[in-house]
Amino acid sequence: MLTINHLTKRYGDKLAVDDLSLHIAPGEIVGFIGHNGAGKTTTLKCAVGIQSFDQGEITVDGHSIKTDPLSCKRALAYIPDDPALYEYMTGRRYLDFIADIFRVSAEARNAKIAELAERFGLTDDLGQPIAGYSHGMKQKLAVISAWLHSPRLIVMDEPFVGLDPRASHELKLMMRAHCDAGGAIFFSTHVLEVAEKLCDQVAIIRRGKLIRAGSMDAVRGDASLEEVFLELEAEA
Amino acid sequence: MTRILLKKQLREFFRGWFYDPRTGAARTKANTILMIAVFLGVSLGIPVAMIVSLATSLCAPLAEAGALWLYFAILGLIALLLGVLVSGFGASAAVYQGKDNDLLLSLPIPLRSIITARVLTVYLMGLLYSGVVSIPAAVVCCLTLPLRLSTVLGALVWVLLLSLLALVLSCLLGYVVAQINRRLKNKSYITTIIALVFLALYYVFYIRGMDFISSIASDPAAYGAVPEGAGRILWYFGRAGEGDLAAIGLVLAVLLVLGFLMGRLLIRSFLDVISAAKVTERIKKPAAEKASKQRSPFAALLGRDLGRFTASANYMLNCGIASLLLPLVGAALLWKRALLMEALGEAFGALPGFPVVLLATGVCAMAGMNDLATPSVALEGKSLWIARSLPVDTAQVLRSKLAAQLVVTAPSALFCGLCAAICAAGNALEALGCVLLPLCYCAFTACVDLRLGLWRTDIHWTQEIAPIKQSLNVLFALVCGAPLLILFAGGYFALSDTVGAGVWLLAMAALSAALACVFYRNLMRQGVRLFEAL
């Protein structure tokens, strides 16, 4: 679904991502963990075509993000760590905008918006301008917009930040259901307990280099993910 | 604390001059000097020349008649109007709508320091625009009258007093706009209407003022007497400009009291206004759930850009005012047709067809005042990730921005062009040219405006007013069509013996269309690359 081969990204002299390779197969939830400034967000942004990169190749569903970005973007949805949405739109108008871009039919979008908004307790707020939303409500709206067009790959940067416990629970259920239906999810998080319980695969990045990747069981062995992560940090 | 915030505010205000908005790197000294020179030259050159001419015609006669106070009073009022009009409608955004409100309020900073720093932006805007009038007026006075220390000091103090008065009035206007925004639903439209009423009052004042000034220049002694009643306030203000210490003391004292009261009002209202901005949105009843209709991606993008435009009074006022003025001017052309054509006939009787060329050029000039495509790129701000992560071609995003400007401008330009054609009552070719030229010119300015919007775009603004009003891109967008406009009128003036007005207008329309194509092509190549690199 998502293949990253030898990705390298520099900001001036600073090497943000260093020869990173990763493969995410359909049906997998892949957690991406690392310390602050490790290169997680840069990798995610490169993967969804928001940021250019210096070397390497990224493909989504077999399409290159460099040469055929539109095909890639049609197959994916992205939620950034700070969901800055169009504040002058109402929640409903924003969702309609996203649905129009992805050519979601009126019937399909109305049904999906009703279902997802109910799930996240956002139904009564959809008619309000986004300017009045709290951070958590914006995050919920971003999640709904990501699921609205049934993407095959969902890329999320710290998706649980700002969500209330109920919404976090719903999101976890939706992530699992999405992958059970053949989709894939690649997300970054600092909450190692969530990653441990939710992910099929885990990738650990440090100073732009992928230092460990594989199935959750293979990576953590008998220890907890937290212990493995701290151990790897200490080694480096 | 206040000093730290003032420095931050100054850095934000002048950031574009000293730092490259894209890379954040400091500009070279030469680059900075060039930027400042271009800014001053382009934005201030013409108005300053007009003011110098007006001041020169008034200063000596009024001084000779012993009515120099009237000189300072008249030019002070013009300066005040300009300063308040320009900075006043941005004052609400500048004081209350900073994106760093939450951050600053969470820090141990007294509210008065935050307000003081915010008010500094309003002051600088007011000083900049009132200074366009007051500084040349002061210089003209010092050069015209015999050089005395009291004259120079008086003029200097007058400039400062004027900027303080502009600040107080701008803040008051900002406060009123903020209160309106708190209470009304369609706030952007209401604010726009209020601004337009002020603008209309300004023009009424301007037209009457010009008559008044003409009569003063012809008989200054008649107006030099010390007035009674409300006119006495103006007299004190004018006397302050003459260097009268008592008048300076009085005006300064009044301004300090007003400034203190204004400051108290802003401090007391700040928390209410910024929290009400969110609360009022939340307590409204949810909008009725409407089943949505599917639109094409392009229609969705266009709707997004038009939605951004109509959601902000600042955006509409600064970048779309021509859409309202063009129909008004068109109607006025039809209404005063006989009078206008008679005047143009008298002035340019030897140049057949010149009136229609002049009218068409005027319509183009007015249509060129709309430049919503320019700030539309920077206004993407932190939401840029949405456009970048969606499956839409960057060229399509740019096309929707172009279309938004054309949708807002072209219908008004078409109407005004038709009115101008009817007013001029030329032959069919002239009428066609009079309608086609403004439309082609709209296409040209839309392309140039968007291209300028992609030049050194700063998406990291903290106040919306920065990309809309304070950027160099917007300034250039306002004047970019001037060479073409000069060609439209000046070219025909020179070639009227060899070419008819209709043919000339159509040729200029073709030229505008061709230039629009050139810029469009550039947008679709270089513009796309620039947008993707943001």
Side-chain angles (χ1 to χ4, degrees):
Chain A
M1 182 73 74
L2 172 67
T3 304
I4 302 173
N5 276 327
H6 305 292
L7 174 69
T8 299
K9 169 73 186 172
R10 288 172 198 280
Y11 294 113
D13 294 336
K14 193 192 169 202
L15 198 57
V17 182
D18 185 6
D19 197 31
L20 185 145
S21 295
L22 196 63
H23 177 72
I24 295 162
E28 281 182 353
I29 299 180
V30 179
F32 198 32
I33 59 178
H35 59 86
N36 292 332
K40 299 187 296 293
T41 298
T42 300
T43 306
L44 297 184
K45 282 184 173 176
C46 291
V48 299
I50 291 181
Q51 202 145 51
S52 62
F53 45 92
D54 303 306
Q55 285 166 37
E57 175 70 25
I58 295 174
T59 59
V60 177
D61 241 1
H63 303 284
S64 164
I65 197 80
K66 261 191 174 165
T67 57
D68 190 7
L70 292 192
S71 297
C72 295
K73 288 175 185 178
R74 279 188 202 104
L76 64 81
Y78 170 63
I79 302 175
D81 55 344
D82 175 19
L85 308 174
Y86 297 131
E87 303 234 322
Y88 53 92
M89 290 185 182
T90 63
R92 175 74 205 203
R93 188 158 288 187
Y94 177 71
L95 293 175
D96 276 332
F97 168 71
I98 298 292
D100 286 333
I101 295 292
F102 283 95
R103 299 178 191 275
V104 180
S105 71
E107 297 76 28
R109 83 175 64 169
N110 287 333
K112 203 137 192 181
I113 289 172
E115 180 215 326
L116 292 171
E118 192 59 40
R119 226 168 149 167
F120 283 101
L122 210 60
T123 308
D124 288 345
D125 296 299
L126 284 184
Q128 308 298 336
I130 295 171
Y133 281 22
S134 66
H135 178 84
M137 289 163 78
K138 285 181 192 167
Q139 188 73 6
K140 287 176 185 178
L141 192 67
V143 169
I144 294 173
S145 69
W147 257 261
L148 191 56
H149 55 95
S150 308
R152 298 202 56 203
L153 170 69
I154 299 176
V155 178
M156 298 183 281
D157 198 354
E158 298 288 351
F160 298 102
V161 173
L163 290 183
D164 57 48
R166 184 190 149 195
S168 288
H169 177 68
E170 287 295 338
L171 179 58
K172 286 175 207 164
L173 292 178
M174 283 163 60
M175 287 166 74
R176 189 74 266 165
H178 178 76
C179 292
D180 289 345
I185 285 176
F186 183 32
F187 77 105
S188 72
T189 184
H190 286 296
V191 191
L192 299 182
E193 291 81 4
V194 170
E196 200 163 6
K197 284 179 186 160
L198 198 62
C199 298
D200 305 304
Q201 304 273 329
V202 66
I204 302 174
I205 184 173
R206 189 175 186 284
R207 289 186 187 161
K209 267 197 169 305
L210 196 65
I211 52 173
R212 188 72 64 89
S215 71
M216 185 58 77
D217 291 338
V219 168
R220 73 179 168 187
D222 293 331
S224 72
L225 185 59
E226 188 178 31
E227 285 167 339
V228 173
F229 179 72
L230 292 175
E231 197 178 306
L232 287 169
E233 284 286 302
E235 278 175 17
Chain B
M1 194 69 72
T2 308
R3 221 177 65 190
I4 297 168
L5 286 179
L6 286 174
K7 275 170 79 176
K8 171 197 149 295
Q9 210 70 21
L10 282 173
R11 266 202 302 269
E12 273 178 24
F13 193 83
F14 293 110
R15 188 167 167 260
W17 292 7
F18 297 99
Y19 295 92
D20 187 319
R22 274 190 303 166
T23 61
R27 294 185 195 281
T28 60
K29 254 186 187 168
N31 199 343
T32 301
I33 292 168
L34 185 71
M35 294 278 279
I36 295 172
V38 168
F39 175 78
L40 294 177
V42 171
S43 70
L44 308 182
I46 297 169
V48 166
M50 287 166 65
I51 293 300
V52 167
S53 145
L54 175 67
T56 312
S57 70
L58 284 178
C59 189
L62 285 172
E64 276 168 26
L68 192 61
W69 69 269
L70 198 54
Y71 169 82
F72 285 108
I74 291 167
L75 285 154
L77 281 177
I78 296 173
L80 207 56
L81 268 168
L82 194 63
V84 174
L85 267 176
V86 175
S87 68
F89 288 101
S92 173
V95 174
Y96 297 107
Q97 293 167 17
K99 284 207 181 294
D100 52 357
N101 276 349
D102 290 353
L103 172 69
L104 295 180
L105 286 171
S106 71
L107 296 173
I109 303 172
L111 203 49
R112 65 170 185 281
S113 300
I114 298 175
I115 299 287
T116 308
R118 296 276 172 86
V119 160
L120 177 69
T121 311
V122 182
Y123 178 73
L124 287 174
M125 285 295 285
L127 177 65
L128 193 66
Y129 284 92
S130 67
V132 167
V133 180
S134 64
I135 294 171
V139 171
V140 166
C141 178
C142 292
L143 293 177
T144 308
L145 303 182
L147 197 60
R148 279 194 217 113
L149 188 63
S150 63
T151 313
V152 176
L153 283 179
L156 270 178
V157 170
W158 176 76
V159 170
L160 287 175
L161 290 176
L162 208 54
S163 64
L164 286 175
L165 187 54
L167 172 69
V168 172
L169 293 178
S170 297
C171 286
L172 183 65
L173 200 56
Y175 172 79
V176 171
V177 168
Q179 294 302 323
I180 290 167
N181 280 350
R182 276 178 72 182
R183 290 172 172 81
L184 294 174
K185 196 179 168 190
N186 296 317
K187 49 185 76 166
S188 57
Y189 291 108
I190 301 287
T191 310
T192 307
I193 289 166
I194 292 173
L196 291 174
V197 169
F198 268 85
L199 204 64
L201 288 175
Y202 172 76
Y203 277 108
V204 169
F205 172 85
Y206 180 80
I207 291 163
R208 301 230 163 152
M210 284 302 113
D211 293 343
F212 181 62
I213 288 167
S214 307
S215 57
I216 289 173
S218 57
D219 186 14
Y223 293 88
V226 179
E228 296 299 323
R232 194 92 177 171
I233 299 170
L234 273 180
W235 182 78
Y236 277 116
F237 195 67
R239 287 289 297 159
E242 286 187 272
D244 181 331
L245 287 179
I248 288 173
L250 186 67
V251 173
L252 188 62
V254 170
L255 279 178
L256 286 177
V257 170
L258 287 176
F260 175 76
L261 292 176
M262 199 62 244
R264 296 278 297 174
L265 194 63
L266 291 180
I267 290 169
R268 284 169 73 102
S269 66
F270 188 72
L271 285 176
D272 286 343
V273 170
I274 64 164
S275 37
K278 289 176 182 168
V279 172
T280 46
E281 307 288 8
R282 300 286 292 280
I283 56 173
K284 280 188 295 185
K285 285 185 181 171
E289 192 78 7
K290 287 180 191 165
S292 307
K293 287 179 184 170
Q294 189 181 343
R295 295 181 298 178
S296 69
F298 182 74
L301 287 170
L302 180 59
R304 177 193 76 133
D305 286 321
L306 290 174
R308 182 72 184 84
F309 176 66
T310 53
S312 163
N314 276 324
Y315 198 5
M316 285 197 282
L317 275 170
N318 287 288
C319 305
I321 191 88
S323 298
L324 199 82
L325 295 179
L326 280 165
L328 292 177
V329 168
L333 284 178
L334 295 180
W335 184 34
K336 296 280 183 186
R337 184 187 158 205
L339 195 69
L340 180 73
M341 292 316 291
E342 189 187 324
L344 287 175
E346 274 176 24
F348 305 108
L351 288 170
F354 193 64
V356 70
V357 173
L358 214 53
L359 285 176
T361 306
V363 176
C364 292
M366 195 161 275
M369 286 164 63
N370 274 6
D371 59 353
L372 55 149
T374 306
S376 71
V377 182
L379 283 172
E380 294 272 354
K382 287 182 180 173
S383 308
L384 182 66
W385 69 272
I386 301 174
R388 298 283 295 115
S389 66
L390 291 175
V392 286
D393 208 356
T394 305
Q396 204 170 17
V397 175
L398 297 185
R399 274 196 290 270
S400 88
K401 291 183 187 302
L402 281 180
Q405 177 154 332
L406 287 174
V407 164
V408 170
T409 315
S412 302
L414 176 64
F415 175 78
C416 197
L418 273 170
C419 292
I422 294 167
C423 180
N427 58 38
L429 213 56
E430 288 173 1
L432 185 65
C434 199
V435 173
L436 266 184
L437 180 58
L439 290 179
C440 294
Y441 185 77
C442 281
F444 162 73
T445 50
C447 292
V448 178
D449 289 350
L450 183 55
R451 185 62 188 79
L452 283 167
L454 287 158
W455 175 68
R456 296 174 181 271
T457 314
D458 183 5
I459 57 169
H460 305 291
W461 41 269
T462 49
Q463 291 181 340
E464 182 194 68
I465 199 75
I468 289 175
K469 204 173 196 170
Q470 295 166 357
S471 74
L472 273 176
N473 313 42
V474 171
L475 178 67
F476 287 135
L478 285 173
V479 297
C480 66
L484 212 50
L485 294 173
I486 292 168
L487 176 68
F488 292 167
Y492 182 73
F493 192 84
L495 299 171
S496 58
D497 289 343
T498 52
V499 66
V503 174
W504 177 256
L505 287 175
L506 288 174
M508 291 300 102
L511 175 67
S512 304
L515 287 173
C517 289
V518 170
F519 276 96
Y520 179 79
R521 205 175 149 81
N522 177 271
L523 274 173
M524 293 302 114
R525 291 180 176 187
Q526 202 178 356
V528 164
R529 279 201 295 278
L530 287 169
F531 189 84
E532 287 176 351
L534 285 175

